[in-house]
């Protein structure tokens, strides 16, 4: 390979006597640089968008969550809690109960979920960091709601004269009618808002947080009944082994991590990323047709040189190897320069945030070494294929 590689490098940096060939080679190289830079920038942009989108759910979702296998609720005894506390790898856990309720305030209504949580909830999640107005005070009389619910119902914090009214249907079987109902078919709770959180539009309209015992009483549930347990896991903990230990203590639950809790969102983001990669790869495939044309033009331009090399003893396979290596060098060098230029743009966005979504929010990007490898691998593989096609045009008939 030493001799073909030496000639290929000479051809790579030497100018042709034909000006048209030089222009074609320059355009081909420029297309490869721009294509690889564009692919890297788009992949970095999607990586940033994925991280940005998941940051909303990561705020409210725990590392691991226990949910009932059947129904809405399950029981956890004092003995089971002691066994959970003894498991190494669990930093802390928080019990919760959740149900859909009817909200009313000053003749404005909205259907949302009330989530009863204990004092460990802010240790398991970072929900308290999203409080925009007021503070996180969840106790016997106070709760926290999202900005979406607050805007829909006209809620303000510390509104003691006009609290939020929460209505929850009473548990039971059978149909309700005016003849069979002697009391109200629902339980009622008045709650004063101590804080308003801001996460994401759908989440902001979905939840009202209150104290766990208060919500259990509203739903007429025992103090051992919950709808979920949120776990915060210590770093470097074997999650699979931890799941087995928890499942042995709580056989009536299923355990899900963040990815499993938001499987639809993860699948959507991964599909979009793959679709974008395939579209830009198709653009690169079309662009690399220029490589085939440029190499064929080089073969014709260097026909006399090839004839001289052939007469000196160079085989047809070695001549093909010369032009094959030339194509690979062109695409590889173009890919490296393109990734380098793309890295500069992504680095400047991370450092200065010059591209804005809003006046205060920079467009999210993420620099991943994996994306560098993906772009270079794509360019090199396509360049190898294009070079094979072009170098196969070299034949004894063409040379002689």
């Amino acid at each position: 390979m030493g001799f073909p590689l030496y000639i290929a490098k000479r051809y790579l940096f030497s100018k042709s006597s034909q000006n048209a060939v030089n222009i074609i080679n320059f355009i081909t190289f420029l297309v490869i640089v721009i294509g690889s830079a564009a692919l890297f920038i788009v992949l970095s942009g999607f990586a940033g968008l994925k991280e940005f989108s998941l940051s909303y759910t990561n705020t409210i979702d725990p590392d691991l969550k226990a949910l009932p296998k059947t129904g809405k609720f399950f029981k956890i005894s004092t003995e089971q809690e002691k066994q959970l506390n003894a498991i190494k790898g669990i930093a802390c856990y928080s019990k919760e109960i959740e149900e859909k309720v009817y909200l009313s305030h000053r003749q404005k209504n909205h259907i949302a979920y009330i989530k009863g949580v204990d004092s460990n909830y802010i240790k398991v999640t970072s929900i308290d960091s999203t409080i925009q107005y007021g503070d996180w005070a969840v106790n016997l009389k106070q709760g926290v709601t999202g900005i979406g619910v607050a805007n829909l119902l006209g809620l303000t914090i510390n509104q003691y004269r006009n609290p939020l009214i929460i209505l929850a249907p009473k548990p039971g079987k059978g149909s309700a009618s005016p003849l069979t109902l002697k009391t109200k078919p629902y339980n009622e709770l008045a709650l004063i808002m101590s804080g308003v959180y801001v996460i994401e539009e759908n989440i902001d309209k979905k939840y009202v947080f209150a104290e766990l015992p208060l919500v259990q009483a509203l739903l007429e549930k025992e103090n051992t009944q919950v709808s979920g347990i949120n776990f915060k896991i210590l770093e470097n903990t074997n999650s699979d082994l931890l799941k087995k230990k928890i499942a042995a203590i709580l056989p009536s639950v299923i355990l899900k991590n963040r990815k499993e809790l938001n499987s639809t969102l993860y699948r959507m983001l991964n599909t979009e990323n793959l679709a974008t990669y395939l579209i830009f790869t198709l653009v690169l495939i079309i662009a690399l047709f220029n490589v085939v044309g440029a190499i064929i033009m080089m073969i014709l331009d260097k026909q006399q040189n090839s004839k001289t090399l052939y007469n000196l003893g160079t085989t047809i396979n070695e001549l093909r190897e010369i032009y094959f290596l030339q194509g690979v060098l062109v695409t590889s060098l173009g890919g490296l320069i393109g990734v380098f230029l793309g890295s500069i743009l992504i680095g400047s966005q991370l450092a200065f945030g010059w591209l804005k979504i809003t006046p205060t929010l920079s467009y999210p990007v993420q620099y991943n070494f994996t994306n560098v490898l993906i772009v270079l691998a794509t360019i090199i593989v396509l360049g190898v294929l294009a070079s094979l096609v072009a170098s196969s045009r070299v034949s004894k008939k063409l040379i002689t």
Side-chain angles (χ1 to χ4, degrees):
M1 180 170 289
F3 173 70
L5 181 61
Y6 173 77
I7 300 298
K9 288 192 292 185
R10 290 291 300 271
Y11 284 173
L12 179 65
F13 297 106
S14 64
K15 288 187 176 181
S16 171
S17 57
Q18 301 292 329
N19 194 40
V21 175
N22 293 327
I23 294 174
I24 291 172
N25 289 338
F26 176 76
I27 293 174
T28 300
F29 186 75
L30 189 63
V31 166
I32 296 170
V33 171
I34 294 173
S36 57
L39 178 58
F40 178 74
I41 291 170
V42 168
L43 290 179
S44 300
F46 263 90
L49 282 174
K50 181 178 180 179
E51 191 72 19
F52 183 71
S53 301
L54 294 177
S55 64
Y56 292 122
T57 59
N58 292 344
T59 302
I60 198 170
D61 289 332
D63 297 333
L64 192 66
K65 188 166 188 175
L67 297 169
K69 287 183 179 178
T70 57
K72 294 182 178 180
F73 309 100
F74 63 94
K75 291 186 177 182
I76 175 171
S77 65
T78 305
E79 182 62 30
Q80 287 173 320
E81 289 194 51
K82 289 180 180 178
Q83 292 176 2
L84 289 177
N85 289 326
I87 296 178
K88 293 182 179 179
I90 298 178
C92 59
Y93 65 89
S94 168
K95 297 181 292 182
E96 69 172 43
I97 190 165
E98 179 182 317
E99 184 60 285
K100 186 177 285 188
V101 292
Y102 184 82
L103 308 178
S104 178
H105 181 256
R106 289 185 173 179
Q107 298 182 344
K108 295 179 182 179
N109 307 311
H110 179 60
I111 295 176
Y113 284 85
I114 187 165
K115 188 188 283 282
V117 297
D118 58 21
S119 57
N120 283 337
Y121 191 71
I122 56 176
K123 298 177 183 178
V124 176
T125 68
S126 55
I127 182 71
D128 56 323
S129 65
T130 65
I131 299 297
Q132 192 79 13
Y133 308 102
D135 53 39
W136 179 269
V138 176
N139 52 43
L140 192 59
K141 296 180 180 180
Q142 292 181 305
V144 173
T145 187
I147 188 70
V149 174
N151 289 337
L152 287 170
L153 301 180
L155 287 169
T156 57
I157 60 174
N158 301 325
Q159 202 170 10
Y160 293 93
R161 292 186 178 182
N162 294 290
L164 173 66
I165 305 301
I166 301 171
L167 306 177
K170 290 183 177 180
K173 295 182 179 179
S175 60
S177 67
L179 297 176
T180 59
L181 290 176
K182 296 181 180 180
T183 59
K184 292 180 180 179
Y186 56 83
N187 294 321
E188 185 174 320
L189 171 66
L191 202 63
I192 299 162
M193 294 299 105
S194 64
V196 177
Y197 68 84
V198 179
I199 300 176
E200 188 266 336
E201 183 179 1
N202 293 326
I203 299 176
D204 295 343
K205 293 179 180 178
K206 187 175 181 179
Y207 291 114
V208 174
F209 291 90
E211 192 179 37
L212 178 62
L214 190 66
V215 179
Q216 286 173 329
L218 175 69
L219 302 177
E220 296 185 9
K221 301 297 179 184
E222 300 174 13
N223 58 4
T224 58
Q225 285 183 288
V226 295
S227 60
I229 302 176
N230 306 292
F231 294 93
K232 185 176 181 62
I233 301 174
L234 296 174
E235 293 184 6
N236 304 320
T237 300
N238 189 327
S239 58
D240 293 331
L241 181 61
L242 187 63
K243 282 184 177 181
K244 291 179 181 178
K245 290 180 179 179
I246 296 173
I249 299 171
L250 302 171
S252 60
V253 305
I254 55 174
L255 295 161
K256 293 185 177 182
N257 55 29
R258 279 201 182 106
K259 188 173 182 180
E260 291 166 338
L261 287 169
N262 301 283
S263 57
T264 303
L265 178 60
Y266 274 88
R267 189 160 52 247
M268 180 191 71
L269 293 172
N270 290 333
T271 301
E272 288 180 350
N273 196 13
L274 178 62
T276 304
Y277 169 74
L278 292 176
I279 291 170
F280 270 80
T281 300
L282 179 61
V283 173
L284 280 176
I285 291 172
I286 296 172
L288 284 171
F289 277 111
N290 290 330
V291 176
V292 177
I295 294 175
I296 291 175
M297 290 291 292
M298 183 64 69
I299 291 171
L300 296 175
D301 184 62
K302 302 293 185 181
Q303 190 172 6
Q304 289 300 321
N305 292 357
S306 299
K307 185 176 181 180
T308 302
L309 291 173
Y310 179 73
N311 291 332
L312 290 173
T314 306
T315 64
I316 295 297
N317 286 335
E318 287 176 328
L319 290 174
R320 289 174 179 170
E321 193 174 348
I322 289 171
Y323 296 106
F324 167 76
L325 291 173
Q326 184 187 359
V328 172
L329 288 173
V330 168
T331 52
S332 300
L333 184 61
L336 284 170
I337 294 175
V339 169
F340 176 73
L341 294 177
S343 298
I344 293 175
L345 286 173
I346 296 300
S348 65
Q349 175 66 10
L350 289 171
F352 306 110
W354 49 270
L355 183 61
K356 302 282 188 180
I357 298 178
T358 67
T360 58
L361 180 63
S362 300
Y363 191 93
V365 295
Q366 190 176 47
Y367 189 92
N368 289 336
F369 188 68
T370 303
N371 289 335
V372 175
L373 296 179
I374 289 173
V375 174
L376 291 178
T378 302
I379 289 290
I380 291 172
V381 169
L382 294 178
V384 167
L385 294 176
S387 301
L388 279 173
V389 171
S391 60
S392 64
R393 303 295 298 174
V394 178
S395 62
K396 186 175 179 180
K397 181 178 179 181
L398 179 68
I399 300 301
T400 58

